[in-house]
Amino acid sequence: MEGGRALLRKAFPDHWSFLLGELALYAFVVLLVTGVYLTFYFRPSMDELVYDGSYLPLRGVRVSEAYASTLRISFDVRGGLLIRQIHHWSALLFASAIGVHLLRVFFTGAFRRPRELNWVIGVTLFSLALLEGFSGYSLPDDTLSGTGLRIAEGVLLSLPLVGSYLTFFVFGGDFPGHDVIPRLFTVHVLLVPGLLVALVGAHLTLVVVLKHTQWAGPGRTNRNVVGMPFFPQFMTRSAGLLFAVGGVMTVSAFLAEMNPIWRYGAYRPDVAGAGAQPDWYIGFIEGALRLMPAVETRVLGHTLSWNVLLPAVVLPGLMFAVLYAYPFAERWLDPEPGEHHLCDRPRNKPTRTALGVAGVTCYAVLLVAGGNDVIAFAFGISVNALTDVLRAALIVLPPLAFLLTRRLCLALQAHDRSRLLHGDATGRIDQSLDGGFEGRRRRVRPAEREVLLVRDAPVPPPAPAGAPRREQARAAASAWFYRDRAELPASERESERVAAVLTAPQHPSLPADRTPRPAAAGPLRRLLRAVTRRRRRGTGR
C-alpha cells in the first residue's frame, strides 16, 4: 500500500512533448490487440493452393497459403480488412512515434546522467520496431513484400564468408524457400513482441525510478519534479490519449487504403513490382542501396559486394552504434559529472543540435533516394541525373546543415540576450517633441526571464601541462563542443538563483563511522524493510 500510494502520487510534468513516448506506447497497445485478432485467421505457410475466395480477379490462380489467408482476412472475415489496416497504420505510428520521441530526448538532453541506460533501451526499442515492421510487412507473400525479401536475401549474401550459409538457414534453402514465412511469423508474433514488452516495462520502470525530466520554469529545479499526480489527473489524460490513438487509427484505416495486396498479386521469384517502395522506416536503407555505385572486390576467391555491404550492413550498423554511444561520449566531454533533470533548450546546446540536424538531413536524403524512380517518373526527369544530384546532396547537405543550425542557435541566443537587455517590442511607436520616433518596449516577465536564464553552460577547463594525450584530446573536444555561446546578462541575485536551480541533487551517503547493515535474505524481506522505514518516517518514529 505504501508503494502504491507513492506511485499514484508521482508527479508528471505537463508538456505536450512528453506525450510522444505515450503515443508510441498506445500505438503498441493497438498493435497487440489487432495483431492477436489477425493471428486467428492468418496461416504462415508457403504451400501452394488454387485461390477460390471472394476476390474474382484472382480466382483459379495458384498462390501460397499465406497470401490466400491474407486475402481471406481482407474480403471474407467480417471487419478483417479494417483490423488489418488499423494494424498497419499503428505500425507506422509506432515506429514514427519512437523516432520522434528519441529526437525529443536527444535535442533536449534528456539522455544525460542518470538516464544513459534508458536511452540505450529506447534505441533498442527503435531497432526492434524496425525488425518487427519488416517481418510483418513480409508476411502476406505478395509481390511488394517478396521484392523486399529478395533485397534482404541480397543483403545477407553480401556478408563475407557467412553470407551464403546464413541465407540458406534463413530461407530454408534456395530463395524463396519454404521456411522464411513461418520463421518470420514466429519472429513477428512471439520473439520481437516479447522483447518489446519486456523493454517497455524496463523503460517505464526507469522513468518512475529516475523521476521525469522537466522544462525550466518557476519552482522547477534540478532536484524536484513539478506536475500533476499520476492519479487521477495524469491517468485520466493518458487514458484519453489511448482512446484518441485508437480512434485516429480506426478513422485512418477507414478513409485511407493501406497495402492493397490484391493489386500487387502473389509473389513469384521471376517478377518484381515496378515502383516498389518499402515503408518509410526501411526507406533509408533502400535509398543507400540506390545511391551506392556498383563496386566489387575479388579477394581469395570471394567476391565482396561493397555496393550492398556498405549501404545495407555497415551504414545501419554505424548509425545505431553512434546512437548507442552518444550519451557516453557527451558524458565524457562534460566537465560537470552531476545529474541532469532539467531539459535543455536546443538553442543553448548549438553543437549537439547541429549534429542532430545534420543526422536528420542525411536520413532525409537517403529516404528521398529510396523513391528516386517514382520521383523521376512523376516529374519527368532522368533517374540517373536525380541519383547523381542525391549523391552530391548526401555529401554536401549534412555539413551545410550543421553549420547553418549552429549559427541559427547562436543567433537565437543573441536574440534572447537582446530581450533580456532591452525587453520585447510592443508595436507602439512614440514621436518625440523634436520629431524623432522611438518604439516602446516592455520588460520580459519574471517567469519567462527565468526560463531564458536557466541553462547548463559548463566551462571546460584546459588540460594541465604534461597531461596524458587522452586528457588533452578530451579537453580539446570539450572546448570545441561547449565554446560557442552568447553570454546572457544577469544580476548577481539572478545568477545565484540560477546556480541554485541547476544544483544537482545530493544523495544521502553512509557515515564514515557507521558500518553497513548486512543485506536482507531475500527480495520480500528487503521490500518489507523499505516499507517499514517509509512508515516510520511518515509517523515521526
Side-chain angles (χ1 to χ4, degrees):
M1 293 296 294
E2 292 287 341
R5 184 176 69 175
L7 177 62
L8 293 178
R9 301 305 297 172
K10 179 176 176 58
F12 284 84
D14 183 16
H15 193 270
W16 66 268
S17 62
F18 299 139
L19 297 179
L20 294 171
E22 294 181 51
L23 201 62
L25 174 63
Y26 295 140
F28 183 57
V29 171
V30 177
L31 276 173
L32 291 178
V33 174
T34 55
V36 169
Y37 181 86
L38 296 175
T39 305
F40 294 149
Y41 302 100
F42 181 75
R43 294 184 178 179
S45 173
M46 299 188 71
D47 295 336
E48 290 190 346
L49 52 81
V50 177
Y51 178 73
D52 60 351
S54 301
Y55 189 65
L56 296 181
L58 289 178
R59 277 194 178 180
V61 178
R62 294 189 64 84
V63 298
S64 65
E65 283 195 46
Y67 185 75
S69 63
T70 309
L71 289 178
R72 179 170 174 265
I73 293 172
S74 302
F75 295 107
D76 299 323
V77 175
R78 185 177 295 276
L81 180 59
L82 180 66
I83 298 298
R84 181 172 157 262
Q85 296 202 146
I86 292 175
H87 190 74
H88 203 132
W89 274 110
S90 300
L92 297 178
L93 176 63
F94 179 56
S96 58
I98 293 179
V100 177
H101 179 60
L102 284 174
L103 289 177
R104 197 278 302 175
V105 172
F106 178 84
F107 284 117
T108 61
F111 56 82
R112 296 185 296 170
R113 185 182 180 184
R115 296 176 180 83
E116 295 94 341
L117 178 58
N118 228 6
W119 170 267
V120 170
I121 292 176
V123 174
T124 305
L125 284 171
F126 185 61
S127 62
L128 288 176
L130 301 187
L131 177 60
E132 179 77 347
F134 177 76
S135 59
Y137 169 86
S138 304
L139 288 179
D141 197 32
D142 60 296
T143 300
L144 187 61
S145 63
T147 303
L149 284 176
R150 173 65 94 177
I151 296 174
E153 182 218 13
V155 173
L156 291 176
L157 286 174
S158 70
L159 297 174
L161 301 179
V162 300
S164 57
Y165 301 100
L166 188 59
T167 304
F168 191 86
F169 168 76
V170 171
F171 290 92
D174 293 331
F175 183 85
H178 289 82
D179 298 334
V180 62
I181 296 298
R183 289 174 178 174
L184 284 175
F185 182 75
T186 303
V187 170
H188 184 71
V189 305
L190 183 62
L191 178 61
V192 177
L195 293 174
L196 286 173
V197 170
L199 289 177
V200 167
H203 187 74
L204 295 178
T205 301
L206 287 177
V207 169
V208 172
V209 171
L210 300 176
K211 79 180 184 180
H212 212 292
T213 57
Q214 60 183 351
W215 294 96
R220 302 172 186 174
T221 70
N222 206 21
R223 302 173 302 281
N224 66 358
V225 178
V226 178
M228 64 182 71
F230 178 73
F231 180 84
Q233 286 90 340
F234 181 79
M235 182 181 291
T236 304
R237 294 181 61 176
S238 188
L241 180 62
L242 169 61
F243 290 114
V245 169
V248 171
M249 293 297 97
T250 303
V251 172
S252 300
F254 178 76
L255 296 177
E257 185 178 64
M258 174 63 68
N259 197 21
I261 62 166
W262 53 89
R263 297 183 183 177
Y264 307 145
Y267 178 68
R268 289 171 43 191
D270 60 336
V271 174
Q277 305 293 316
D279 285 336
W280 73 267
Y281 45 83
I282 304 294
F284 76 99
I285 299 180
E286 177 81 9
L289 285 168
R290 298 188 183 195
L291 293 185
M292 181 68 185
V295 180
E296 293 181 351
T297 303
R298 190 78 175 172
V299 179
L300 300 177
H302 296 275
T303 300
L304 294 179
S305 299
W306 300 108
N307 54 322
V308 180
L309 182 64
L310 289 180
V313 179
V314 176
L315 176 65
L318 286 177
M319 181 186 76
F320 279 99
V322 170
L323 289 177
Y324 278 119
Y326 186 84
F328 305 98
E330 189 163 318
R331 182 175 180 176
W332 182 67
L333 297 175
D334 192 353
E336 300 177 0
E339 295 183 0
H340 303 275
H341 300 285
L342 289 177
C343 293
D344 293 324
R345 300 177 75 200
R347 68 182 64 182
N348 292 333
K349 289 291 188 290
T351 303
R352 179 205 297 157
T353 303
L355 289 173
V357 173
V360 172
T361 303
C362 180
Y363 179 88
V365 173
L366 294 177
L367 187 62
V368 172
N372 60 349
D373 54 344
V374 176
I375 297 174
F377 177 79
F379 291 95
I381 59 179
S382 170
V383 67
N384 294 327
L386 179 61
T387 301
D388 293 336
V389 170
L390 291 174
R391 286 172 179 169
L394 186 62
I395 298 173
V396 174
L397 288 185
L400 184 62
F402 175 86
L403 297 175
L404 290 178
T405 303
R406 196 169 183 179
R407 295 302 304 172
L408 179 61
C409 290
L410 294 175
L412 291 173
Q413 290 186 37
H415 176 66
D416 291 343
R417 174 182 172 85
S418 175
R419 291 184 61 197
L420 292 171
L421 286 174
H422 308 294
D424 294 326
T426 61
R428 180 175 176 177
I429 300 176
D430 295 333
Q431 185 177 11
S432 61
L433 295 177
D434 56 358
F437 294 91
E438 182 180 2
R440 282 198 179 185
R441 308 183 74 89
R442 61 169 175 266
R443 289 178 55 85
V444 179
R445 293 175 299 175
E448 192 172 359
R449 188 177 182 88
E450 182 174 348
V451 172
L452 297 180
L453 288 175
V454 174
R455 64 171 184 174
D456 184 16
V459 180
R469 290 185 178 180
R470 183 175 181 272
E471 292 300 325
Q472 294 179 4
R474 177 185 177 184
S478 182
W480 171 80
F481 191 86
Y482 291 110
R483 67 186 175 190
D484 292 332
R485 64 173 178 265
E487 297 297 335
L488 300 181
S491 62
E492 183 177 354
R493 184 177 179 181
E494 288 176 333
S495 300
E496 294 176 354
R497 185 172 180 178
V498 169
V501 168
L502 293 176
T503 301
Q506 299 293 330
H507 299 286
S509 58
L510 197 66
D513 57 346
R514 181 181 170 189
T515 59
R517 290 185 179 182
L524 293 179
R525 185 167 296 179
R526 288 198 299 268
L527 177 62
L528 180 61
R529 178 171 295 176
V531 171
T532 304
R533 286 199 300 266
R534 183 183 294 274
R535 291 186 61 188
R536 288 178 178 175
R537 286 197 302 269
T539 56
R541 290 182 290 169

